Structure formats: structure tokens, C-alpha cells
């Protein structure tokens, strides 16, 4: 693979992803990076986010609403999408569990399983609180 040319804009995008736990959309990343690079285009942000995901320096999370989310945390972990507010959260499970899932899947696949992703759906604690306060009224 050819050496990737350094880009201050890409570095800024990567740094932002590494510091946030919000799993932002490309639009959110664009608004943040635009503060540092006022002339950056949304297309440049999209291309760089996809490039970072392709080279393993970010994770692209395809959500059911069609808006991809991005995560700077690249070690294997799961995500939960709140079906009420749409936010994406990290789900911390025992790494041994993830390996057990890979091993189990290998038993049913004519090939080799290297890794997997799972997206869980639920209601976050903030939305549960909002819904319970509505029920009290």
C-alpha cells in the first residue's frame, strides 16, 4: 500500500474522534473541524472519515436511520443505538465473550471467522428518565 500523505485536516478529524465518545455523524465532525479549518468542505470530511475507517484508524458504524456514525476507538467493542434519541453508546463486554462468539461462529461457517460486529438496540437511561417523568404527569 502506498504511503498516505500527511494531512492536517485528516489529523484534526482523527484527533476529534479520539477525544469524543459521542460517535458523531460526518456532519457533526464537519461542524467541529470547520472551527479550525473554515474552508474545509463537507466532502473532504466524508472522504477523510471513510479513509480513516478503511485504514483501521476509525470505525464506521452504519445505523438504521442511514446516518453513519464514526468512532475513534478502534479496539473491538460493541455499540448500542438508542431507539428513542438515536445516540450511539459503547457497550463494554468481556473480551473473552467476543472471542467465544467468533469461535462459535467458526463452527457454523465454511471458512474462517476473523472478527465480528454487533449493533444492539435499546433505550438509553436519559430517555428512560424522560419517559418515566412523562408517565408521572
Amino acid at each position: 500500500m502506498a504511503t498516505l500523505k500527511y494531512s492536517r485536516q485528516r489529523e484534526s478529524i482523527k484527533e476529534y474522534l479520539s477525544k469524543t465518545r459521542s460517535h458523531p455523524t460526518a456532519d457533526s465532525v464537519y461542524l467541529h473541524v470547520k472551527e479550525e479549518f473554515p474552508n474545509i468542505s463537507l466532502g473532504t470530511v466524508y472522504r477523510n472519515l471513510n479513509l480513516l475507517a478503511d485504514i483501521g484508524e476509525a470505525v464506521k458504524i452504519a445505523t438504521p436511520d442511514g446516518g453513519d456514525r464514526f468512532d475513534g476507538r478502534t479496539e473491538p467493542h460493541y455499540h448500542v443505538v438508542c431507539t428513542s434519541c438515536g445516540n450511539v453508546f459503547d457497550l463494554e463486554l468481556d473480551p473473552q465473550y467476543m472471542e467465544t462468539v467468533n469461535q462459535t461462529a467458526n463452527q457454523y461457517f465454511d471458512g474462517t471467522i476473523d472478527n465480528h460486529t454487533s449493533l444492539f438496540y435499546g433505550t438509553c437511561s436519559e430517555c428512560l428518565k424522560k419517559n418515566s417523568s412523562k408517565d408521572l404527569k
Side-chain angles (χ1 to χ4, degrees), residues 56-97:
E57 293 186 14
V59 174
K60 180 193 254 186
I61 306 160
T63 61
D65 66 3
D68 293 332
R69 301 296 193 98
F70 294 88
D71 191 352
R73 187 174 160 210
T74 58
E75 70 273 2
H77 64 286
Y78 293 121
H79 294 100
V80 179
V81 176
C82 177
T83 55
S84 184
C85 67
N87 285 331
V88 177
F89 302 89
D90 288 332
L91 180 62
E92 304 298 336
L93 294 176
D94 183 349
Q96 184 57 45
Y97 170 77

Side-chain angles (χ1 to χ4, degrees), residues 1-6 10:
M1 183 167 139
T3 304
L4 195 58
K5 183 180 170 191
Y6 177 79
R10 186 179 320 110

